[in-house]
Amino acid sequence: DLANELTSLPLAGLAVHGASSDGFQGAPLRFIEDLVEASSLPVFCRTEASAVGELRALEHHGVAVTVLGSSLFDGQLDAQAVAHHFDS
């Protein structure tokens, strides 16, 4: 399994481009969940999520970091609102 092989390397984490859940493009959410479960490394995911609920789904599945792309720039997501929802 690739995730197990990568875990033995001196990496800061595993980066995945995209995740799909109810309409946004990229890797299937089940793949992301399996990757998180198989690896002891944090998983970073770049996504074009268009709603906070989609970001919450990634958080729920164990994604450590989500990198947002054009969804912030084209107004699908409001940066202040996203920051407010995930402020600890």
Side-chain angles (χ1 to χ4, degrees):
D1 175 49
L2 182 60
N4 290 328
E5 289 179 38
L6 293 174
T7 299
S8 66
L9 299 173
L11 301 173
L14 301 176
V16 177
H17 186 276
S20 62
S21 169
D22 299 332
F24 61 106
Q25 299 291 323
L29 194 55
R30 181 68 193 154
F31 169 78
I32 301 295
E33 184 178 27
D34 290 346
L35 185 60
V36 168
E37 288 177 12
S39 175
S40 62
L41 296 169
V43 173
F44 310 123
C45 183
R46 184 194 180 286
T47 184
E48 293 303 326
S50 60
V52 171
E54 291 172 288
L55 299 174
R56 288 277 183 212
L58 292 171
E59 178 185 45
H60 174 74
H61 288 289
V63 172
V65 175
T66 301
V67 178
L68 296 171
S70 63
S71 57
L72 286 176
F73 300 113
D74 65 13
Q76 291 182 44
L77 286 173
D78 177 79
Q80 293 292 334
V82 170
H84 174 73
H85 281 284
F86 292 94
D87 187 19
S88 45

